[in-house]
Amino acid sequence: FLITPLNPRKHGANLTDEKGRFQMASLALADENGLVASDFEFSLPRPSYTINMLDALERSYPGCEFLLLMGADNWLKIDKWYKSEEILSRFGLIGYPRGNEEKPLLPDNVRWLSSPLYDISSTEVRHAISCGHDISEWLHPDVLDFIKENKLYTSL
């Protein structure tokens, strides 16, 4: 799981700094066999564009195939991404359903994941925290502890 240090499409949004997001991802994945958080993108020029990250991965790991996993909400906006046509022509993508939307028409190199649906967004999680709601069923306990200890999202 690559943590993006500065998403150019979320500039100015009330986001936790990159190190905090990396720490939360690491905590969330600690018990997941074969899954890890990566700060690979932190050393790349900013703003961080997906195509630049994919190019850097190819240079660093020649011979590996890289697939981009994205939520359906991002798939619907991919035409607005920097060099989206190049991303689509060079890399495979895996779409993850985010709501009850129908499976969209996809190019051959884009697959739609069939998996359990968790119909909750990070925006909703941050909002629930700011309202003081119990979100313990949504987050790994260690991530929830990290958020509380660092007083994240309490004043959105």
Side-chain angles (χ1 to χ4, degrees):
F1 285 78
L2 286 141
I3 310 306
T4 301
L6 177 62
N7 182 328
R9 302 200 56 79
K10 292 186 179 181
H11 184 68
N14 188 3
L15 299 176
T16 302
D17 67 70
E18 63 199 47
K19 291 177 183 163
R21 289 184 291 116
F22 175 74
Q23 183 64 29
M24 287 188 283
S26 297
L27 291 168
L29 296 170
D31 301 330
E32 302 297 329
N33 191 19
L35 301 178
V36 295
S38 171
D39 63 358
F40 177 87
E41 210 170 338
F42 290 11
S43 64
L44 300 179
R46 298 180 191 194
S48 182
Y49 293 104
T50 300
I51 189 65
N52 297 341
M53 177 267 301
L54 290 167
D55 286 340
L57 282 170
E58 279 190 330
R59 285 190 304 274
S60 296
Y61 302 96
C64 291
E65 176 186 9
F66 295 97
L67 302 171
L68 187 61
L69 175 65
M70 69 170 54
D73 54 332
N74 277 313
W75 171 253
L76 296 173
K77 298 181 257 181
I78 193 150
D79 61 317
K80 296 180 178 24
W81 287 27
Y82 178 68
K83 296 190 177 183
S84 62
E85 291 175 11
E86 184 177 350
I87 293 170
L88 290 171
S89 68
R90 291 181 46 209
F91 299 94
L93 276 78
I94 301 172
Y96 181 84
R98 294 290 298 257
N100 293 325
E101 70 275 328
E102 290 185 32
K103 177 182 171 183
L105 293 174
L106 303 169
D108 289 341
N109 66 332
V110 177
R111 294 176 235 146
W112 200 250
L113 195 60
S114 180
S115 68
L117 177 65
Y118 298 96
D119 196 16
I120 187 73
S121 71
S122 57
T123 301
E124 290 171 299
V125 170
R126 290 190 300 270
H127 179 72
I129 293 168
S130 73
C131 293
H133 296 142
D134 177 11
I135 58 157
S136 57
E137 67 182 61
W138 294 346
L139 297 177
H140 188 287
D142 292 342
V143 173
L144 189 54
D145 289 344
F146 181 88
I147 290 170
K148 289 176 180 176
E149 288 168 13
N150 291 280
K151 298 176 177 57
L152 300 177
Y153 317 122
T154 55
S155 59
L156 296 180

